Amino acid sequence: QAIVHVSAPFVAGSVPAPDVDRTRHPSGIVPTLQNVVATVNLGCPLDLKRITMRARNAEYNPKRFTAVIMRLLDPKTTALIFASGKIVVTGAKSEEAARLAARKYARIVQKIDFPAARFADFRVQNMVASCDVRFAIRLAGLAAQHGHFSSYEPELFPGLIYRHQNPKMVLLIFVSGKVVLTGAKDRQDIYTAFENMYTVLKRFRKE
């Protein structure tokens, strides 16, 4: 099954604080994690109908989607549980919350009557973060000078799509100064890509 990336609502984060570590964040801005998507493998086939009948927080409509959708309030997350034993967890606000949620989903399935289920191959597949550089950006100028890496069609989408190469990530950059970073599997990659981009964005600051 394909990994489903469910986007969290966009929230502008990262107002600079005096206690920001400037050696790691020279800009003084720390992107805020909005969504962590992770996978885990329970290592055994699952009867999805049985899970739906026994779990209170689960729904299953095989005509619409081939997985059970299960939700937790703490950590607030959603899981897609597949018959193969694979679980996709989305909506966590940190790597630790994603791991904790995955363990809770695995335990719920075990208790339903799948004693062979185990917690294995936990992996973060995607991270989404956001921040605000607090100045307006000349997107047309950025697109003109960085055409190899960027796509900007304001009549279709208000933001510029920038494909950062190292680390490999996608940034959505808005004229207001809001930035969304996606495609990372490691928090440090988000910080590195943002700091690289921040030096570029300063050159396209709207006066």
Side-chain angles (χ1 to χ4, degrees), residues 141-158:
L142 176 58
Q145 288 198 28
H146 290 254
H148 288 307
F149 308 111
S150 58
S151 167
Y152 182 47
E153 297 179 70
E155 64 279 4
L156 298 178
F157 181 69

Side-chain angles (χ1 to χ4, degrees), residues 6-206:
V6 182
S7 298
F10 174 74
V11 180
S14 48
V15 174
D19 57 350
V20 169
D21 179 357
R22 292 285 183 145
T23 57
R24 289 184 73 198
H25 309 285
S27 64
I29 299 169
V30 184
T32 304
L33 278 181
Q34 302 297 346
N35 186 17
V36 177
V37 178
T39 55
V40 67
N41 194 344
L42 302 186
C44 69
L46 303 175
D47 182 336
L48 300 186
K49 283 185 181 175
R50 194 192 310 175
I51 291 172
T52 315
M53 288 168 66
R54 299 277 300 275
R56 289 173 302 173
N57 50 348
E59 57 187 81
Y60 181 45
N61 186 341
K63 288 180 182 173
R64 289 181 58 196
F65 192 53
T66 57
V68 166
I69 300 170
M70 191 179 288
R71 292 180 175 86
L72 283 178
L73 286 175
D74 183 26
K76 192 172 182 182
T77 51
T78 300
L80 307 175
I81 303 173
F82 294 91
S84 63
K86 185 176 180 178
I87 299 180
V88 179
V89 178
T90 185
K93 300 289 188 183
S94 70
E95 304 94 309
E96 298 76 17
R99 181 180 285 273
L100 175 60
R103 284 196 178 279
K104 284 190 173 185
Y105 289 118
R107 201 170 300 127
I108 289 168
V109 171
Q110 280 173 336
K111 286 181 176 177
I112 282 171
D113 195 19
F114 296 96
R118 66 188 194 281
F119 185 88
D121 302 327
F122 175 85
R123 285 185 189 143
V124 170
Q125 302 290 353
N126 185 27
M127 290 180 169
V128 180
S130 65
C131 57
D132 187 345
V133 299
R134 301 178 314 283
F135 56 78
I137 301 163
R138 293 184 291 110
L139 295 183
L142 176 58
Q145 288 198 28
H146 290 254
H148 288 307
F149 308 111
S150 58
S151 167
Y152 182 47
E153 297 179 70
E155 64 279 4
L156 298 178
F157 181 69
L160 180 144
I161 301 166
Y162 194 99
R163 286 169 180 79
H164 192 276
Q165 296 304 299
N166 189 21
K168 221 171 182 62
M169 285 178 60
V170 173
L171 288 79
L172 308 178
I173 303 163
F174 298 88
V175 68
S176 63
K178 302 284 192 301
V179 178
V180 178
L181 306 97
T182 185
K185 295 191 178 183
D186 181 86
R187 189 186 291 241
Q188 189 53 50
D189 284 351
I190 290 172
Y191 298 156
T192 300
F194 173 72
E195 290 299 336
N196 291 348
M197 203 67 221
Y198 186 74
T199 59
V200 173
L201 295 180
K202 283 193 294 186
R203 299 202 294 269
F204 295 93
R205 182 177 187 150
K206 260 189 182 177

